[in-house]
mmCIF file of all heavy atoms in Angstrom:
data_model
loop_
_atom_site.group_PDB
_atom_site.id
_atom_site.type_symbol
_atom_site.label_atom_id
_atom_site.label_comp_id
_atom_site.label_asym_id
_atom_site.label_seq_id
_atom_site.Cartn_x
_atom_site.Cartn_y
_atom_site.Cartn_z
ATOM 1 N N ILE A 1 158.559 170.724 -54.369
ATOM 2 C CA ILE A 1 159.677 170.197 -53.586
ATOM 3 C C ILE A 1 159.660 168.673 -53.574
ATOM 4 O O ILE A 1 160.695 168.022 -53.770
ATOM 5 C CB ILE A 1 159.630 170.760 -52.154
ATOM 6 C CG1 ILE A 1 159.905 172.274 -52.169
ATOM 7 C CG2 ILE A 1 160.637 170.047 -51.245
ATOM 8 C CD1 ILE A 1 159.633 172.953 -50.844
ATOM 9 N N LEU A 2 158.492 168.108 -53.354
ATOM 10 C CA LEU A 2 158.395 166.648 -53.280
ATOM 11 C C LEU A 2 158.800 165.970 -54.579
ATOM 12 O O LEU A 2 159.300 164.839 -54.564
ATOM 13 C CB LEU A 2 156.965 166.239 -52.920
ATOM 14 C CG LEU A 2 156.467 166.596 -51.515
ATOM 15 C CD1 LEU A 2 155.003 166.228 -51.355
ATOM 16 C CD2 LEU A 2 157.306 165.905 -50.457
ATOM 17 N N HIS A 3 158.598 166.654 -55.703
ATOM 18 C CA HIS A 3 158.840 166.026 -57.003
ATOM 19 C C HIS A 3 160.061 166.560 -57.736
ATOM 20 O O HIS A 3 160.347 166.131 -58.872
ATOM 21 C CB HIS A 3 157.595 166.175 -57.886
ATOM 22 C CG HIS A 3 156.424 165.397 -57.393
ATOM 23 N ND1 HIS A 3 155.556 165.888 -56.455
ATOM 24 C CD2 HIS A 3 155.994 164.142 -57.668
ATOM 25 C CE1 HIS A 3 154.632 164.975 -56.180
ATOM 26 N NE2 HIS A 3 154.873 163.907 -56.897
ATOM 27 N N ASN A 4 160.804 167.478 -57.107
ATOM 28 C CA ASN A 4 161.990 168.030 -57.772
ATOM 29 C C ASN A 4 163.211 168.083 -56.860
ATOM 30 O O ASN A 4 164.244 168.609 -57.252
ATOM 31 C CB ASN A 4 161.690 169.435 -58.292
ATOM 32 C CG ASN A 4 160.679 169.438 -59.421
ATOM 33 O OD1 ASN A 4 161.037 169.278 -60.589
ATOM 34 N ND2 ASN A 4 159.414 169.622 -59.067
ATOM 35 N N PHE A 5 163.096 167.528 -55.674
ATOM 36 C CA PHE A 5 164.190 167.533 -54.708
ATOM 37 C C PHE A 5 164.485 166.101 -54.317
ATOM 38 O O PHE A 5 163.567 165.301 -54.114
ATOM 39 C CB PHE A 5 163.800 168.370 -53.479
ATOM 40 C CG PHE A 5 164.861 168.455 -52.427
ATOM 41 C CD1 PHE A 5 166.063 169.092 -52.690
ATOM 42 C CD2 PHE A 5 164.664 167.903 -51.165
ATOM 43 C CE1 PHE A 5 167.052 169.190 -51.708
ATOM 44 C CE2 PHE A 5 165.632 167.988 -50.188
ATOM 45 C CZ PHE A 5 166.839 168.636 -50.460
ATOM 46 N N GLU A 6 165.770 165.757 -54.211
ATOM 47 C CA GLU A 6 166.130 164.361 -53.982
ATOM 48 C C GLU A 6 166.636 164.088 -52.565
ATOM 49 O O GLU A 6 166.999 162.952 -52.264
ATOM 50 C CB GLU A 6 167.182 163.926 -55.002
ATOM 51 C CG GLU A 6 166.646 163.937 -56.433
ATOM 52 C CD GLU A 6 167.665 163.444 -57.438
ATOM 53 O OE1 GLU A 6 168.843 163.213 -57.038
ATOM 54 O OE2 GLU A 6 167.303 163.308 -58.618
ATOM 55 N N GLY A 7 166.629 165.090 -51.713
ATOM 56 C CA GLY A 7 167.087 164.886 -50.342
ATOM 57 C C GLY A 7 165.943 164.534 -49.409
ATOM 58 O O GLY A 7 164.929 163.965 -49.815
ATOM 59 N N THR A 8 166.103 164.876 -48.153
ATOM 60 C CA THR A 8 165.088 164.628 -47.128
ATOM 61 C C THR A 8 164.150 165.823 -47.036
ATOM 62 O O THR A 8 164.602 166.965 -47.035
ATOM 63 C CB THR A 8 165.750 164.389 -45.756
ATOM 64 O OG1 THR A 8 166.501 163.169 -45.807
ATOM 65 C CG2 THR A 8 164.710 164.293 -44.645
ATOM 66 N N VAL A 9 162.849 165.558 -46.948
ATOM 67 C CA VAL A 9 161.856 166.618 -46.779
ATOM 68 C C VAL A 9 161.137 166.399 -45.450
ATOM 69 O O VAL A 9 160.658 165.299 -45.162
ATOM 70 C CB VAL A 9 160.829 166.632 -47.928
ATOM 71 C CG1 VAL A 9 159.759 167.705 -47.681
ATOM 72 C CG2 VAL A 9 161.524 166.887 -49.257
ATOM 73 N N ILE A 10 161.078 167.457 -44.646
ATOM 74 C CA ILE A 10 160.383 167.426 -43.363
ATOM 75 C C ILE A 10 159.225 168.412 -43.444
ATOM 76 O O ILE A 10 159.432 169.583 -43.770
ATOM 77 C CB ILE A 10 161.342 167.828 -42.219
ATOM 78 C CG1 ILE A 10 162.554 166.869 -42.166
ATOM 79 C CG2 ILE A 10 160.611 167.842 -40.875
ATOM 80 C CD1 ILE A 10 163.720 167.399 -41.360
ATOM 81 N N VAL A 11 158.020 167.938 -43.159
ATOM 82 C CA VAL A 11 156.831 168.781 -43.289
ATOM 83 C C VAL A 11 156.193 168.952 -41.913
ATOM 84 O O VAL A 11 155.885 167.964 -41.233
ATOM 85 C CB VAL A 11 155.805 168.180 -44.275
ATOM 86 C CG1 VAL A 11 154.640 169.148 -44.491
ATOM 87 C CG2 VAL A 11 156.465 167.857 -45.612
ATOM 88 N N ASP A 12 155.963 170.205 -41.525
ATOM 89 C CA ASP A 12 155.427 170.518 -40.207
ATOM 90 C C ASP A 12 154.345 171.585 -40.357
ATOM 91 O O ASP A 12 154.232 172.247 -41.389
ATOM 92 C CB ASP A 12 156.558 171.019 -39.297
ATOM 93 C CG ASP A 12 156.133 171.188 -37.841
ATOM 94 O OD1 ASP A 12 155.172 170.511 -37.419
ATOM 95 O OD2 ASP A 12 156.759 171.992 -37.133
ATOM 96 N N ALA A 13 153.543 171.748 -39.327
ATOM 97 C CA ALA A 13 152.637 172.900 -39.153
ATOM 98 C C ALA A 13 151.804 173.183 -40.402
ATOM 99 O O ALA A 13 151.053 172.308 -40.854
ATOM 100 C CB ALA A 13 153.462 174.111 -38.729
ATOM 101 N N ASP A 14 151.915 174.399 -40.974
ATOM 102 C CA ASP A 14 151.076 174.773 -42.114
ATOM 103 C C ASP A 14 151.404 173.958 -43.361
ATOM 104 O O ASP A 14 150.570 173.856 -44.266
ATOM 105 C CB ASP A 14 151.231 176.269 -42.404
ATOM 106 C CG ASP A 14 150.612 177.128 -41.311
ATOM 107 O OD1 ASP A 14 149.551 176.741 -40.787
ATOM 108 O OD2 ASP A 14 151.198 178.174 -40.967
ATOM 109 N N GLY A 15 152.589 173.386 -43.417
ATOM 110 C CA GLY A 15 152.890 172.460 -44.503
ATOM 111 C C GLY A 15 152.005 171.220 -44.422
ATOM 112 O O GLY A 15 151.543 170.697 -45.445
ATOM 113 N N LEU A 16 151.749 170.757 -43.208
ATOM 114 C CA LEU A 16 150.846 169.618 -43.015
ATOM 115 C C LEU A 16 149.414 169.995 -43.363
ATOM 116 O O LEU A 16 148.672 169.191 -43.943
ATOM 117 C CB LEU A 16 150.924 169.132 -41.568
ATOM 118 C CG LEU A 16 152.263 168.553 -41.120
ATOM 119 C CD1 LEU A 16 152.292 168.373 -39.611
ATOM 120 C CD2 LEU A 16 152.530 167.216 -41.813
ATOM 121 N N ASN A 17 149.014 171.219 -43.012
ATOM 122 C CA ASN A 17 147.661 171.658 -43.351
ATOM 123 C C ASN A 17 147.470 171.708 -44.861
ATOM 124 O O ASN A 17 146.403 171.345 -45.372
ATOM 125 C CB ASN A 17 147.394 173.039 -42.734
ATOM 126 C CG ASN A 17 147.337 172.990 -41.222
ATOM 127 O OD1 ASN A 17 147.009 171.963 -40.636
ATOM 128 N ND2 ASN A 17 147.686 174.092 -40.575
ATOM 129 N N ALA A 18 148.495 172.157 -45.579
ATOM 130 C CA ALA A 18 148.418 172.156 -47.044
ATOM 131 C C ALA A 18 148.341 170.734 -47.578
ATOM 132 O O ALA A 18 147.524 170.425 -48.462
ATOM 133 C CB ALA A 18 149.627 172.888 -47.625
ATOM 134 N N LEU A 19 149.173 169.854 -47.036
ATOM 135 C CA LEU A 19 149.197 168.466 -47.497
ATOM 136 C C LEU A 19 147.865 167.773 -47.273
ATOM 137 O O LEU A 19 147.429 166.950 -48.090
ATOM 138 C CB LEU A 19 150.313 167.715 -46.769
ATOM 139 C CG LEU A 19 150.487 166.233 -47.101
ATOM 140 C CD1 LEU A 19 150.783 166.035 -48.576
ATOM 141 C CD2 LEU A 19 151.599 165.628 -46.248
ATOM 142 N N SER A 20 147.179 168.101 -46.181
ATOM 143 C CA SER A 20 145.908 167.441 -45.869
ATOM 144 C C SER A 20 144.836 167.720 -46.927
ATOM 145 O O SER A 20 143.847 166.997 -47.016
ATOM 146 C CB SER A 20 145.405 167.868 -44.490
ATOM 147 O OG SER A 20 145.058 169.241 -44.480
ATOM 148 N N LYS A 21 145.037 168.756 -47.728
ATOM 149 C CA LYS A 21 144.067 169.082 -48.780
ATOM 150 C C LYS A 21 144.172 168.140 -49.978
ATOM 151 O O LYS A 21 143.218 167.995 -50.744
ATOM 152 C CB LYS A 21 144.254 170.526 -49.244
ATOM 153 C CG LYS A 21 143.987 171.553 -48.147
ATOM 154 C CD LYS A 21 144.339 172.961 -48.608
ATOM 155 C CE LYS A 21 144.121 173.966 -47.482
ATOM 156 N NZ LYS A 21 144.526 175.334 -47.864
ATOM 157 N N ASP A 22 145.347 167.510 -50.149
ATOM 158 C CA ASP A 22 145.518 166.603 -51.290
ATOM 159 C C ASP A 22 146.693 165.667 -51.039
ATOM 160 O O ASP A 22 147.831 165.983 -51.378
ATOM 161 C CB ASP A 22 145.743 167.398 -52.585
ATOM 162 C CG ASP A 22 145.860 166.501 -53.813
ATOM 163 O OD1 ASP A 22 145.576 165.283 -53.694
ATOM 164 O OD2 ASP A 22 146.236 167.021 -54.880
ATOM 165 N N LEU A 23 146.394 164.509 -50.460
ATOM 166 C CA LEU A 23 147.453 163.524 -50.209
ATOM 167 C C LEU A 23 147.967 162.899 -51.497
ATOM 168 O O LEU A 23 148.984 162.202 -51.491
ATOM 169 C CB LEU A 23 146.930 162.436 -49.264
ATOM 170 C CG LEU A 23 146.688 162.878 -47.813
ATOM 171 C CD1 LEU A 23 146.004 161.767 -47.027
ATOM 172 C CD2 LEU A 23 147.977 163.279 -47.132
ATOM 173 N N GLY A 24 147.291 163.173 -52.600
ATOM 174 C CA GLY A 24 147.734 162.643 -53.884
ATOM 175 C C GLY A 24 149.110 163.148 -54.290
ATOM 176 O O GLY A 24 149.794 162.502 -55.100
ATOM 177 N N VAL A 25 149.542 164.301 -53.733
ATOM 178 C CA VAL A 25 150.862 164.814 -54.094
ATOM 179 C C VAL A 25 151.976 163.912 -53.578
ATOM 180 O O VAL A 25 153.134 164.054 -53.999
ATOM 181 C CB VAL A 25 151.063 166.255 -53.566
ATOM 182 C CG1 VAL A 25 150.003 167.191 -54.129
ATOM 183 C CG2 VAL A 25 151.078 166.306 -52.045
ATOM 184 N N LEU A 26 151.649 162.987 -52.698
ATOM 185 C CA LEU A 26 152.674 162.070 -52.186
ATOM 186 C C LEU A 26 153.064 161.006 -53.196
ATOM 187 O O LEU A 26 154.106 160.366 -53.059
ATOM 188 C CB LEU A 26 152.172 161.395 -50.903
ATOM 189 C CG LEU A 26 151.882 162.315 -49.710
ATOM 190 C CD1 LEU A 26 151.363 161.511 -48.530
ATOM 191 C CD2 LEU A 26 153.126 163.100 -49.321
ATOM 192 N N ARG A 27 152.236 160.813 -54.209
ATOM 193 C CA ARG A 27 152.545 159.794 -55.215
ATOM 194 C C ARG A 27 153.651 160.280 -56.150
ATOM 195 O O ARG A 27 153.655 161.428 -56.589
ATOM 196 C CB ARG A 27 151.296 159.446 -56.027
ATOM 197 C CG ARG A 27 150.224 158.728 -55.219
ATOM 198 C CD ARG A 27 149.151 158.149 -56.137
ATOM 199 N NE ARG A 27 148.365 159.219 -56.757
ATOM 200 C CZ ARG A 27 147.248 159.719 -56.257
ATOM 201 N NH1 ARG A 27 146.778 159.254 -55.102
ATOM 202 N NH2 ARG A 27 146.589 160.672 -56.881
ATOM 203 N N GLY A 28 154.569 159.379 -56.477
ATOM 204 C CA GLY A 28 155.596 159.672 -57.472
ATOM 205 C C GLY A 28 156.645 160.672 -57.030
ATOM 206 O O GLY A 28 157.357 161.241 -57.868
ATOM 207 N N ARG A 29 156.803 160.888 -55.764
ATOM 208 C CA ARG A 29 157.759 161.887 -55.297
ATOM 209 C C ARG A 29 159.200 161.418 -55.502
ATOM 210 O O ARG A 29 159.476 160.213 -55.554
ATOM 211 C CB ARG A 29 157.508 162.204 -53.824
ATOM 212 C CG ARG A 29 157.621 161.020 -52.890
ATOM 213 C CD ARG A 29 157.203 161.413 -51.462
ATOM 214 N NE ARG A 29 157.444 160.352 -50.510
ATOM 215 C CZ ARG A 29 156.535 159.463 -50.136
ATOM 216 N NH1 ARG A 29 155.310 159.508 -50.654
ATOM 217 N NH2 ARG A 29 156.835 158.535 -49.253
ATOM 218 N N THR A 30 160.100 162.379 -55.601
ATOM 219 C CA THR A 30 161.510 162.072 -55.842
ATOM 220 C C THR A 30 162.376 162.196 -54.595
ATOM 221 O O THR A 30 163.530 161.771 -54.607
ATOM 222 C CB THR A 30 162.088 163.027 -56.912
ATOM 223 O OG1 THR A 30 161.965 164.374 -56.445
ATOM 224 C CG2 THR A 30 161.353 162.873 -58.233
ATOM 225 N N CYS A 31 161.844 162.787 -53.516
ATOM 226 C CA CYS A 31 162.668 162.999 -52.325
ATOM 227 C C CYS A 31 163.084 161.667 -51.713
ATOM 228 O O CYS A 31 162.350 160.677 -51.765
ATOM 229 C CB CYS A 31 161.937 163.855 -51.300
ATOM 230 S SG CYS A 31 160.358 163.196 -50.737
ATOM 231 N N LYS A 32 164.273 161.654 -51.147
ATOM 232 C CA LYS A 32 164.848 160.422 -50.607
ATOM 233 C C LYS A 32 164.048 159.890 -49.428
ATOM 234 O O LYS A 32 163.826 158.694 -49.294
ATOM 235 C CB LYS A 32 166.290 160.683 -50.188
ATOM 236 C CG LYS A 32 167.049 159.456 -49.740
ATOM 237 C CD LYS A 32 168.504 159.808 -49.417
ATOM 238 C CE LYS A 32 169.243 160.280 -50.643
ATOM 239 N NZ LYS A 32 170.680 160.568 -50.345
ATOM 240 N N SER A 33 163.627 160.790 -48.545
ATOM 241 C CA SER A 33 162.777 160.398 -47.424
ATOM 242 C C SER A 33 161.851 161.561 -47.096
ATOM 243 O O SER A 33 162.212 162.727 -47.290
ATOM 244 C CB SER A 33 163.598 159.996 -46.194
ATOM 245 O OG SER A 33 164.365 161.082 -45.720
ATOM 246 N N LEU A 34 160.664 161.237 -46.606
ATOM 247 C CA LEU A 34 159.661 162.237 -46.274
ATOM 248 C C LEU A 34 159.226 162.022 -44.833
ATOM 249 O O LEU A 34 158.779 160.939 -44.464
ATOM 250 C CB LEU A 34 158.462 162.126 -47.209
ATOM 251 C CG LEU A 34 157.281 163.064 -46.918
ATOM 252 C CD1 LEU A 34 157.712 164.519 -46.971
ATOM 253 C CD2 LEU A 34 156.149 162.810 -47.911
ATOM 254 N N ILE A 35 159.365 163.075 -44.022
ATOM 255 C CA ILE A 35 159.053 163.002 -42.594
ATOM 256 C C ILE A 35 157.933 163.980 -42.298
ATOM 257 O O ILE A 35 158.051 165.181 -42.586
ATOM 258 C CB ILE A 35 160.301 163.338 -41.757
ATOM 259 C CG1 ILE A 35 161.416 162.332 -42.058
ATOM 260 C CG2 ILE A 35 159.969 163.340 -40.271
ATOM 261 C CD1 ILE A 35 162.798 162.842 -41.745
ATOM 262 N N LEU A 36 156.848 163.493 -41.735
ATOM 263 C CA LEU A 36 155.713 164.320 -41.341
ATOM 264 C C LEU A 36 155.674 164.384 -39.822
ATOM 265 O O LEU A 36 155.801 163.353 -39.155
ATOM 266 C CB LEU A 36 154.404 163.738 -41.880
ATOM 267 C CG LEU A 36 154.356 163.372 -43.367
ATOM 268 C CD1 LEU A 36 152.981 162.832 -43.735
ATOM 269 C CD2 LEU A 36 154.719 164.571 -44.238
ATOM 270 N N THR A 37 155.448 165.579 -39.268
ATOM 271 C CA THR A 37 155.578 165.753 -37.815
ATOM 272 C C THR A 37 154.309 166.352 -37.200
ATOM 273 O O THR A 37 154.365 167.426 -36.590
ATOM 274 C CB THR A 37 156.785 166.644 -37.482
ATOM 275 O OG1 THR A 37 156.562 167.956 -38.047
ATOM 276 C CG2 THR A 37 158.069 166.071 -38.049
ATOM 277 N N PRO A 38 153.172 165.696 -37.303
ATOM 278 C CA PRO A 38 151.923 166.291 -36.798
ATOM 279 C C PRO A 38 151.711 166.106 -35.305
ATOM 280 O O PRO A 38 152.200 165.155 -34.706
ATOM 281 C CB PRO A 38 150.851 165.506 -37.567
ATOM 282 C CG PRO A 38 151.462 164.141 -37.731
ATOM 283 C CD PRO A 38 152.936 164.413 -37.973
ATOM 284 N N HIS A 39 150.956 167.045 -34.709
ATOM 285 C CA HIS A 39 150.334 166.749 -33.426
ATOM 286 C C HIS A 39 148.996 166.080 -33.710
ATOM 287 O O HIS A 39 148.638 165.846 -34.881
ATOM 288 C CB HIS A 39 150.203 168.003 -32.560
ATOM 289 C CG HIS A 39 149.466 169.147 -33.184
ATOM 290 N ND1 HIS A 39 148.167 169.055 -33.665
ATOM 291 C CD2 HIS A 39 149.838 170.445 -33.399
ATOM 292 C CE1 HIS A 39 147.774 170.222 -34.132
ATOM 293 N NE2 HIS A 39 148.770 171.085 -33.997
ATOM 294 N N VAL A 40 148.255 165.732 -32.688
ATOM 295 C CA VAL A 40 147.072 164.882 -32.872
ATOM 296 C C VAL A 40 146.040 165.516 -33.800
ATOM 297 O O VAL A 40 145.497 164.841 -34.691
ATOM 298 C CB VAL A 40 146.441 164.530 -31.508
ATOM 299 C CG1 VAL A 40 145.093 163.851 -31.693
ATOM 300 C CG2 VAL A 40 147.372 163.616 -30.722
ATOM 301 N N LYS A 41 145.756 166.797 -33.637
ATOM 302 C CA LYS A 41 144.751 167.428 -34.496
ATOM 303 C C LYS A 41 145.212 167.507 -35.942
ATOM 304 O O LYS A 41 144.424 167.302 -36.869
ATOM 305 C CB LYS A 41 144.403 168.810 -33.956
ATOM 306 C CG LYS A 41 143.550 168.764 -32.698
ATOM 307 C CD LYS A 41 143.053 170.150 -32.306
ATOM 308 C CE LYS A 41 142.135 170.060 -31.084
ATOM 309 N NZ LYS A 41 141.651 171.406 -30.658
#
């Protein structure tokens, strides 16, 4: 999604848990804006 979608991406909950395993996927993304919505943990 981050590299094949050009709109806004909102990542929450288990999407954040997946992202925490490899922040490298944030490089070179095509989405127009990326919004992360974590709680403190």
Side-chain angles (χ1 to χ4, degrees):
I1 293 170
L2 292 175
H3 293 86
N4 293 274
F5 181 65
E6 295 183 353
T8 294
V9 177
I10 301 164
V11 185
D12 188 25
D14 291 322
L16 295 169
N17 293 333
L19 179 60
S20 67
K21 297 173 182 177
D22 183 10
L23 290 173
V25 301
L26 297 179
R27 292 192 291 268
R29 59 186 187 265
T30 60
C31 58
K32 186 177 296 182
S33 63
L34 176 59
I35 299 157
L36 310 181
T37 63
H39 56 57
V40 171
K41 287 188 177 179

